[in-house]
């Protein structure tokens, strides 16, 4: 029962993390323009992995999609690939979790379900690592440009999407480790009970065989001294 509750908690953590990671991908504010060192305060520049936009003081936004994927900076292409991989890994991990959890009636035997649960945990761990790597790489680019004194273009700050992505990554990794831990705990309990049953059966078999074959039981050796004395008296008689 405790192992099932652990799997349910891990499932809630991983699904919550996967939802946060999925919502990070289309979120607008990956980076937002900073007012530090600029005289233009009536317009706000912001962008994500797909487009760059500007919002004026009246609240009107004008956006422009990135025209060419091959003309993008390398770090944006890497972040795109990592985030899409994170979403796909989390999707397949959720399907494996529904099959491998003990509270479901699909997946086969307990050993098979335990292996599927372990594979599910690995999927979510990889999903969290991909998302965390993408957000960290994007944030590193923003901070390096912000603190570079030779960078004279518009400087940006960290957007809300990065913090959402980091939170989802932590939840996915934590839930994935809990899935793997629950699998190892279940294997250790089954192995202990199996060995105990085997030893009990083998001991019972030995006792049964000894009862059916009385010839195998050890007997006390006859008293040789008494036999010799009796033979000696008969010889004298």
């Amino acid at each position: 029962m405790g192992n099932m509750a652990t799997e349910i908690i891990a499932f809630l953590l991983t699904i919550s993390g996967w939802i946060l990671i999925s919502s990070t991908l289309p979120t607008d504010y990956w980076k937002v323009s900073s007012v530090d060192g600029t005289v233009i305060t009536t317009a706000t520049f912001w962008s994500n992995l797909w487009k760059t936009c500007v919002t004026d003081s009246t609240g009107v936004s004008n956006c422009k999609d990135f025209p060419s994927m091959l003309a993008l900076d390398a770090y944006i292409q890497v972040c795109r690939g990592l985030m899409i991989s994170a979403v796909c890994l989390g999707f397949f991990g959720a399907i494996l979790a529904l099959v491998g959890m003990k509270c479901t009636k699909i997946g086969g035997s307990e050993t098979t379900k335990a292996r599927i649960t372990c594979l599910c945990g690995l999927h979510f761990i990889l999903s969290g690592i991909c998302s965390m790597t993408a957000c960290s790489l994007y944030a590193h680019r923003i901070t390096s440009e912000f603190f570079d004194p030779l960078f004279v273009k518009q400087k940006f700050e960290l957007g809300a999407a990065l913090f959402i992505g980091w939170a989802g990554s932590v939840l996915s990794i934590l839930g994935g480790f809990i899935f793997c831990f629950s699998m190892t705990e279940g294997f250790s309990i089954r192995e202990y009970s199996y060995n105990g049953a085997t030893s009990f059966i083998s001991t019972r078999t030995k006792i049964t065989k000894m009862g059916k074959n009385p010839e195998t039981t050890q007997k006390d050796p006859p008293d040789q001294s008494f036999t010799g004395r009796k033979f000696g008296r008969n010889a004298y008689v």
Side-chain angles (χ1 to χ4, degrees), residues 13-76:
L13 289 175
T14 51
I15 290 299
S16 300
W18 179 66
I19 292 174
L20 291 177
I21 292 173
S22 301
S23 63
T24 302
L25 190 60
T27 302
D28 293 332
Y29 297 100
W30 277 65
K31 63 180 181 180
V32 184
S33 61
S34 175
V35 296
D36 183 43
T38 181
V39 296
I40 302 175
T41 59
T42 59
T44 302
F45 298 89
W46 50 273
S47 61
N48 57 9
L49 299 178
W50 314 102
K51 60 185 178 180
T52 180
C53 302
V54 58
T55 304
D56 57 16
S57 58
T58 61
V60 178
S61 299
N62 294 319
C63 297
K64 178 183 178 182
D65 296 333
F66 295 133
S68 174
M69 185 182 68
L70 299 178
L72 289 175
D73 294 333
Y75 78 98
I76 296 181

Side-chain angles (χ1 to χ4, degrees), residues 166-193:
W166 280 324
S169 302
V170 172
L171 291 178
S172 295
I173 294 174
L174 182 61
F177 276 116
I178 294 176
F179 267 128
C180 295
F181 176 74
S182 65
M183 184 274 301
T184 55
E185 184 180 359
F187 265 133
S188 61
I189 293 175
R190 286 192 294 272
E191 184 178 359
Y192 177 78
S193 61

